[in-house]
Amino acid sequence: MSSQKGNASRSRAQKHQNAVAFKNDKYGATVQVQKAKSKIHDGLCQRCKDVLEWKVKYNKYKSLTQPRKCVKCSEKTVKDAYHIICKPCSLQLELCAKCGKKEDIVIPVNSQNVDETEQDEDGNEKKKGCGQRKEDFNDLDSSDDDFGDDDDDDDDDDDKA
């Protein structure tokens, strides 16, 4: 045990100490790690912001796959992981989007930025689809008909020789 019952202080130093700090992108950053690192944690109190930054730092942050239900408006508008209140409700009620308490918001949510990011996310989802479709491949095949004319190339080679 780390401490005795009722005694919060330790009597000795830490037994095992890591030589190097943990790196969540040691063997190359995955897509999930890159998204988590680039995410801006806005609309949160200082404690919740620190908790989410810790989760990102030690590779414990898991993003949402589907929107969650907001506890204030009861609509599926919560798009950020670990949040319980959607951004419009947290902005309107001045609450932390993660814990729901009325505390000082470190990075405030701007209503204009919320609308822009939602539109950007919708645009990115449409672009994520298959890069080339079957129609595109058919267009490429029709333009590659010049490969059948090998006789012209051979005549040029004979003239040079």
Side-chain angles (χ1 to χ4, degrees):
M1 295 266 282
S2 61
S3 60
Q4 298 172 341
K5 185 176 182 183
N7 186 9
S9 62
R10 293 181 71 114
S11 59
R12 62 171 176 80
Q14 186 173 343
K15 195 169 194 177
H16 300 286
Q17 181 68 41
N18 291 338
V20 293
F22 177 80
K23 295 179 183 175
N24 61 2
D25 57 352
K26 183 176 180 181
Y27 300 108
T30 61
V31 175
Q32 292 175 339
V33 170
Q34 288 174 347
K35 283 183 183 177
K37 277 185 169 181
S38 66
K39 179 126 183 66
I40 299 170
H41 302 290
D42 53 350
L44 302 174
C45 61
Q46 183 63 48
R47 183 178 183 279
C48 293
K49 184 175 182 288
D50 292 340
V51 168
L52 289 183
E53 286 175 352
W54 181 90
K55 284 181 180 283
V56 169
K57 183 178 180 183
Y58 292 106
N59 215 13
K60 302 291 181 186
Y61 186 88
K62 304 292 179 234
S63 59
L64 275 181
T65 57
Q66 294 179 341
R68 290 184 58 195
K69 215 180 240 189
C70 174
V71 297
K72 298 296 179 187
C73 63
S74 299
E75 295 181 16
K76 286 197 170 189
T77 53
V78 179
K79 296 189 173 118
D80 295 321
Y82 307 103
H83 290 207
I84 59 170
I85 302 173
C86 62
K87 288 187 179 184
C89 289
S90 69
L91 179 69
Q92 182 183 9
L93 301 170
E94 296 178 1
L95 298 174
C96 174
K98 185 176 179 293
C99 63
K101 295 179 182 173
K102 194 170 186 90
E103 303 212 3
D104 293 335
I105 305 301
V106 180
I107 303 173
V109 179
N110 296 333
S111 59
Q112 296 172 354
N113 291 346
V114 171
D115 296 336
E116 291 174 8
T117 55
E118 287 178 1
Q119 290 174 355
D120 291 342
E121 290 173 359
D122 293 341
N124 290 341
E125 288 176 8
K126 290 177 184 174
K127 292 178 183 176
K128 282 183 186 176
C130 186
Q132 293 182 339
R133 295 189 176 162
K134 193 172 184 180
E135 298 166 358
D136 294 337
F137 287 119
N138 289 341
D139 292 340
L140 290 174
D141 291 339
S142 63
S143 64
D144 294 339
D145 291 337
D146 296 336
F147 290 120
D149 299 332
D150 290 336
D151 297 334
D152 296 335
D153 294 336
D154 292 337
D155 293 337
D156 294 337
D157 292 338
D158 293 336
D159 295 336
K160 291 178 186 176

